[in-house]
Each structure stands twice: as C-alpha cells, then as structure tokens.
C-alpha cells in the first residue's frame, strides 16, 4: 500500500522514502523497549517524537518536526518539515501539516482534529485564546471536523473557558490569513476568503461565503447560504439567504447567486424574493412597522408553506432574542 495518497504533494514524501530505503533502521522507530511505531511509519532522524506519542500506520514525519507526549496521529498523517504538534492533540487519518504549521498547545485542554484535514503553511491551530478573562489553569478546547482545508497563516484558537468549545465543522475552506477566535461555532461547507476575521463567540451556520477582508463582531450569527461582501464590517446578525456589504454592513438583498448554485428551485427563490420585498422594501415605510410587515408575511398562507421562507423568517425572529444583536441595517428603498 502506498504511503502517499496525494499525488500532487508526493515529491517530499517520495524523496524521504527514497532516503530511508538506504537507511532501513529508520523504518521501525524504537521509542523505548516496550514501544515500536508502525513498521511503515517514516520518521526523519532530525524529528523529535516523544516516546509516549501514538502514531498510526503510514505516518510520515519530516525534518525538524516535533510531536508531544500526549499526541495521537491517525494513519496516513504527513508532517512536512518544521511542523509541530504540542500538548493533548489528536489528529484523525490522512491529515497533512504543511511546513511551519503548529497544532495544539501545552496549556490544559485539548485539540481534536478529524480526518482528511490540511493545515497550511505556518497556520497556528488550537492554541490558547486572546481573551483577557482566560485563566491559564482552565481547560479549553478546540474540535475540528473532517475534510477541511485550512490555508496558510490562519489562526484558530481554543475556547476561553472549560464550559465552552471552539468548533469547526466539515468541508470548510478557510483561506489564507483568516482568524477564528475563541468559542466560535462554525458549521459545514463554508468558504472564508483571505483575511476574514471572526471575533469571539461568532456562530456561522452552513454554506456561508465571505469575500476578502471581512470582519465579524463578537456574538454575531451568520445564517446559512448568506454572503458577506468584501471589506464588510459586520456588527449584527445576517439572516439566512441574505447578502450584506459595507461599513457597517447593510442588507443588500438575497444571495441569489449562492441560492441558485446550491440548487434552490425557481419557485423557492421566487417565494423568498416576494417575502423579502414585503419585509424590507415597502413603497410607504410609514404604512406598517417592521414587526407588522414581518407578521404579515408569517400569516400569508401561500408563502408560509414554503420551507425556505419559514426558515428565513425564523432566522430573522431569532436575531431579536434577548441575547442576540439584531439583524444588519437595511436601506429604506421605495417601490418605484
């Protein structure tokens, strides 16, 4: 069985494997008398691997890497030169740490990363938070799902306290130089463009797309299938399916391109557009308050039967709960 499953990145591992073919004693790295790593693990002689670390089948550890005593690596993981795993950290199968990546922290708590994740060049994942309320003796946590592509220079921090967690779901693309702060909850299949910055306690649902240099205030919620324009400063919630832009970000309509790409039907999109117009675009803004317009749509027998419309209305309502920040501002367009 080949140790390298990613053909485009095989040059480093192939060279390392060729080197080890002439140094067979390195194939079985004896940590101590009672422990032998898997016979097909490849550990460069300059790497520092603690004897208590647990390595799965086919792990490749490049030059000048380090792995802590509490680390657990699944099968097929690859550590490129100069990458490091600290503290109580667990990697699932087939994870890849590019050069300079740092995962985990020696502070109390843990970092758990699922399978098939790529940690980019010089990314820093699972270290202590930047919250002044943090106490070094507290256990803090980061949990990352599967199939995430976390690009270069990204930072993702553990929670700020033992009663919470920072959570990243599955299938997310987190581009270069992004920051995800303590206690954030990120769903699945999101795309964060370069320099997207999330403050603490931000919640992101699924299929959210941010353009570059987007900044999200702490405790904001981003609803599924929403789009945040480049350079936006988001200080309030973004409801499901909506598009915002600006400083401070304002609602700019529905994310029609994103909805179409994700397979929403023509009828669903038409119903969402009708509901959006009735709530946010009114020829006479003095005719009814925002709450009254929202209630009128909720009581409309035709629109309320559409699940997407119900989801959007619930997302708006949830944003006005006691502990929430309300939705982004919207322009008072007239109907002409």
């Amino acid at each position: 069985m080949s140790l390298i499953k990613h053909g485009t990145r095989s040059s480093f591992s192939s060279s390392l494997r060729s080197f080890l073919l002439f140094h067979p004693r390195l194939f079985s790295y004896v940590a101590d008398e009672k422990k032998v790593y898997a016979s097909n693990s490849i550990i460069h002689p300059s790497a520092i691997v603690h004897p208590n670390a647990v390595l799965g089948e086919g792990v490749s550890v490049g030059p000048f890497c380090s792995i802590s005593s509490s680390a657990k690596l699944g099968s097929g993981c690859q550590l490129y030169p100069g990458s490091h795993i600290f503290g109580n950290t667990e990697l699932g199968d087939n994870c890849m740490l590019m050069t300079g990546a740092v995962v985990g922290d020696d502070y109390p708590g843990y970092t758990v990363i699922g399978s098939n994740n790529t940690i980019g060049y010089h990314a820093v994942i699972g270290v202590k938070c930047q919250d002044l309320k943090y106490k070094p003796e507290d256990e803090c946590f980061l949990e990352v799902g599967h199939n995430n592509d976390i690009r270069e220079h990204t930072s993702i921090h553990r929670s700020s306290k033992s009663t919470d967690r920072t959570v990243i779901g599955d299938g997310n693309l987190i581009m270069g130089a992004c920051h995800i702060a303590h206690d954030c909850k990120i769903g699945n299949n999101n795309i964060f463009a370069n320099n997207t910055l999330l403050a603490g306690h931000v919640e992101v649902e699924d299929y959210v797309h941010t353009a570059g240099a987007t900044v999200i205030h702490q405790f904001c919620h981003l609803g599924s299938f929403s789009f945040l324009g480049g350079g936006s400063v988001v200080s309030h919630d973004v409801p499901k399916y909506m598009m915002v832009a600006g400083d401070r970000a304002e609602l700019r309509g529905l994310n029609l391109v994103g909805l179409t790409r994700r397979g929403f039907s023509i009828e669903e999109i038409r119903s969402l557009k009708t509901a959006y117009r009735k709530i946010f675009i009114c020829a006479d803004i003095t005719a009814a308050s925002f709450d009254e317009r929202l209630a009128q749509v909720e009581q409309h027998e035709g629109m309320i039967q559409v699940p997407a419309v119900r989801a959007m209305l619930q997302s708006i309502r949830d944003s006005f709960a006691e502990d929430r920040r309300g939705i982004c501002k919207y322009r008072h367009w007239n109907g002409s």
Side-chain angles (χ1 to χ4, degrees):
M1 180 179 69
S2 175
L3 299 181
I4 307 304
K5 298 184 179 180
H6 301 274
T8 58
R9 291 172 174 165
S10 63
S11 56
F12 157 72
S13 297
S14 297
S15 300
L16 184 58
R17 185 167 60 240
S18 298
F19 169 78
L20 291 172
L21 288 174
F22 297 97
H23 299 77
R25 66 183 179 85
L26 297 176
F27 267 93
S28 295
Y29 182 90
V30 181
D32 56 31
E33 293 181 355
K34 297 182 179 179
K35 179 170 182 175
V36 179
Y37 292 126
S39 61
N40 59 349
S41 291
I42 300 174
I43 302 175
H44 192 274
S46 68
I48 301 174
V49 181
H50 194 278
N52 293 333
V54 177
L55 274 60
E57 295 286 332
V59 171
S60 299
V61 182
F64 309 111
C65 296
S66 64
I67 300 176
S68 72
S69 61
S70 301
K72 297 180 181 179
L73 278 65
S75 299
C77 288
Q78 300 177 46
L79 274 64
Y80 277 62
S83 57
H84 304 278
I85 299 176
F86 294 114
N88 188 7
T89 298
E90 181 175 343
L91 270 61
D93 295 340
N94 301 310
C95 288
M96 184 181 299
L97 273 62
M98 306 307 293
T99 297
V102 175
V103 177
D105 203 323
D106 288 328
Y107 285 88
Y110 62 70
T111 297
V112 176
I113 296 179
S115 300
N116 302 307
N117 292 290
T118 298
I119 312 299
Y121 299 94
H122 302 284
V124 180
I125 311 299
V127 297
K128 71 172 183 177
C129 66
Q130 298 174 150
D131 188 339
L132 294 178
K133 298 187 295 296
Y134 166 76
K135 299 177 181 178
E137 64 271 17
D138 286 349
E139 289 190 321
C140 298
F141 312 107
L142 168 65
E143 297 177 3
V144 179
H146 310 295
N147 304 306
N148 296 287
D149 190 359
I150 301 171
R151 296 300 300 268
E152 58 274 9
H153 299 286
T154 288
S155 57
I156 303 175
H157 291 172
R158 288 182 182 179
S159 62
S160 61
K161 51 190 176 181
S162 58
T163 55
D164 209 336
R165 298 173 300 159
T166 304
V167 178
I168 313 291
D170 303 331
N172 297 289
L173 171 56
I174 303 172
M175 298 186 193
C178 289
H179 174 65
I180 299 176
H182 58 88
D183 308 298
C184 286
K185 304 292 187 295
I186 311 301
N188 305 318
N189 302 302
N190 298 293
I191 300 175
F192 298 159
N194 299 69
N195 296 291
T196 293
L197 309 178
L198 276 64
H201 304 278
V202 168
E203 294 194 19
V204 182
E205 296 181 4
D206 303 328
Y207 295 100
V208 174
H209 190 169
T210 72
T214 299
V215 179
I216 298 107
H217 192 282
Q218 61 183 355
F219 293 102
C220 284
H221 286 58
L222 309 182
S224 296
F225 304 98
S226 58
F227 179 84
L228 285 61
S232 297
V233 178
V234 180
S235 56
H236 294 81
D237 291 359
V238 181
K240 289 178 185 290
Y241 315 128
M242 296 190 189
M243 179 170 58
V244 301
D247 178 17
R248 298 296 196 248
E250 297 178 342
L251 297 182
R252 300 297 176 88
L254 295 170
N255 179 21
L256 297 176
V257 173
L259 295 175
T260 302
R261 288 176 175 173
R262 297 312 313 172
F264 281 71
S265 69
I266 294 174
E267 182 58 36
E268 287 176 309
I269 293 175
R270 183 183 296 116
S271 297
L272 286 169
K273 291 170 68 175
T274 300
Y276 184 92
R277 284 196 299 268
K278 288 182 176 295
I279 297 169
F280 297 107
I281 303 174
C282 183
D284 183 4
I285 61 172
T286 64
S289 67
F290 173 81
D291 284 338
E292 289 171 335
R293 298 196 302 272
L294 185 59
Q296 288 173 5
V297 175
E298 290 173 330
Q299 296 166 10
H300 191 285
E301 292 185 4
M303 285 184 289
I304 202 63
Q305 299 302 317
V306 181
V309 173
R310 290 202 304 271
M312 183 179 75
L313 296 174
Q314 188 61 54
S315 181
I316 295 171
R317 285 292 187 192
D318 290 344
S319 293
F320 291 99
E322 183 177 355
D323 59 342
R324 297 280 289 272
R325 297 184 59 80
I327 65 173
C328 289
K329 294 180 179 180
Y330 58 94
R331 297 183 181 184
H332 296 287
W333 301 101
N334 59 40
S336 60

